Amino acid sequence: MSEYIVHSVQESDELARSLAKRVHGMTMLILLEGDLGAGKTTFVKALGKALGVTKVINSPTFTILKSYRMDDGRFLHHMDAYRMEGITQDLGFDEIFDEDAICVVEWAHFIKDQLPSQALTIRIHIVDETTRRFEFCASNEVYKTIAEGL
């Protein structure tokens, strides 16, 4: 596990930009966990912008999934599983997770049985009004190298 403390939204954005540099062109799954207001969507916005997304990224809470074109022509899929708590049926996300894309899932624990085993989990903890602690937990060596190099 790698841990980073940020003291402002600007520092969180810098962390997202650093992650974007490390994952640009890769196929990967990023799972975001944290309380309401921890900064999950804010982190995705900065990550997407650094990956070349030009459209406005906002929370997909009501649509579940939004897809954005990155500068390399592939997609950044942004999923919010918050409203999916308790759903046990297969919702067909395999295609999204298998695609050559970067997929970011907020509230991933609500669909944990439908997620691939290989992922980079980022837990965002609220320390105080402006400070956040980011924990990066890697499921394999590739994700571990990414997390440790930020």
Side-chain angles (χ1 to χ4, degrees), residues 19 30-34 39-44 47 78-79 104-109 120-124 134 136:
L19 178 62
I30 301 170
L31 310 178
L32 283 177
E33 296 289 348
K40 295 179 297 298
T41 301
T42 299
F43 189 79
V44 177
L47 179 68
H78 182 200
M79 183 182 297
V104 181
V105 182
E106 296 186 38
W107 303 99
H109 64 279
L120 176 63
T121 300
I122 303 172
R123 292 184 184 93
I124 306 173
F134 285 76
F136 287 72

Side-chain angles (χ1 to χ4, degrees), residues 7-72:
H7 302 284
S8 66
V9 171
Q10 292 79 15
E11 287 183 14
S12 176
D13 289 355
E14 288 174 24
L15 185 59
R17 285 192 297 274
S18 180
L19 178 62
K21 287 178 188 174
R22 309 245 338 142
V23 304
H24 192 275
M26 296 180 71
T27 298
M28 68 179 319
L29 175 60
I30 301 170
L31 310 178
L32 283 177
E33 296 289 348
D35 290 333
L36 286 169
K40 295 179 297 298
T41 301
T42 299
F43 189 79
V44 177
K45 287 178 182 185
L47 179 68
K49 184 174 182 182
L51 290 168
V53 172
T54 57
K55 293 193 175 188
V56 174
I57 295 174
N58 49 38
S59 178
T61 300
F62 296 103
T63 58
I64 309 293
L65 174 70
K66 291 186 178 182
S67 298
Y68 304 93
R69 186 79 61 183
M70 297 183 287
D71 62 8
D72 65 3

